[in-house]
Amino acid sequence: MLYGLVEKACILSGLDPYVGFLHTDNYNKKSLVFDLIEPFRIFGEQTVVYLFTGRQMKDEYFDMQEDAVSLNKAGKPVVIEAMNKHLDETVRYRRKNVKRRYIMQHEAHRLANILLADCGEKRPEWLEIKEF
C-alpha cells in the first residue's frame, strides 16, 4: 500500500519514480520510490504491531507452507482496513494537522522544490550522503 502512495506522490510532484538517489538507478526499478518510502515504513510497522498486540490477527488469516507464511484473502481486508484507518488519522506535521496519508505527498513536493531551487535552501538531513 505504501509503495503505491509514494509512487503517486512522486508522479504528482513531477518526480520520476525511476530515478533514485540511494537505491540503484535502473530504469527497471522505481528507485526513487524505494528512497522516499524509508521514512514512512513506520506507518506499516505501527499498523502491524497494533494488529498483533491487539490480538486482531488470527491463524485463519494466514496460509502456512513448509518454509513460508503468507497473508491470505481472509487476512488482507483486515490489514488493509487497519492500514487505511492509521493513514487517515490526523497528526501534527510541520506545524499543521495533516492526515498521515498526505505526509508522503508533502515530502515529495518538498523534495521537488529543493531540487528546483537555485537558492541555498537547506537540504533535509535524510538526503545527506555520508561516507563510511
Side-chain angles (χ1 to χ4, degrees):
M1 288 179 69
L2 287 175
Y3 282 101
L5 292 172
V6 171
E7 182 178 3
K8 178 181 175 183
C10 288
I11 292 168
L12 291 174
S13 300
L15 298 169
D16 186 344
Y18 292 91
V19 179
F21 297 98
L22 302 174
H23 291 83
T24 305
D25 189 14
N26 179 340
Y27 228 79
N28 295 323
K29 295 181 183 178
K30 296 176 184 170
S31 300
L32 186 57
V33 175
F34 300 155
D35 292 349
L36 288 181
I37 201 166
E38 296 303 332
F40 307 110
R41 286 187 189 279
I42 189 71
F43 297 164
E45 293 165 359
Q46 288 169 330
T47 301
V48 169
V49 168
Y50 166 78
L51 288 171
F52 278 95
T53 58
R55 300 185 189 272
Q56 295 180 26
M57 297 305 291
K58 300 179 175 135
D59 288 343
E60 57 264 19
Y61 294 163
F62 299 95
D63 290 332
M64 313 285 185
Q65 294 155 359
E66 187 175 318
D67 293 330
V69 176
S70 60
L71 198 60
N72 62 26
K73 288 183 180 181
K76 287 181 183 180
V78 174
V79 174
I80 290 169
E81 180 183 349
M83 187 68 174
N84 279 325
K85 184 178 177 184
H86 188 67
L87 290 172
D88 286 334
E89 287 179 358
T90 300
V91 295
R92 197 78 177 147
Y93 166 78
R94 299 195 178 275
R95 297 179 299 224
K96 295 180 184 176
N97 294 327
V98 178
K99 288 185 179 182
R100 279 189 187 98
R101 87 170 48 250
Y102 300 123
I103 295 174
M104 294 168 264
Q105 183 66 53
H106 287 288
E107 286 299 315
H109 276 291
R110 193 165 159 245
L111 174 61
N113 289 334
I114 289 169
L115 293 173
L116 291 173
D118 285 334
C119 63
E121 186 171 342
K122 186 175 183 235
R123 295 174 61 85
E125 59 199 46
W126 57 271
L127 282 178
E128 296 298 320
I129 297 174
K130 296 179 179 152
E131 294 186 34
F132 297 101

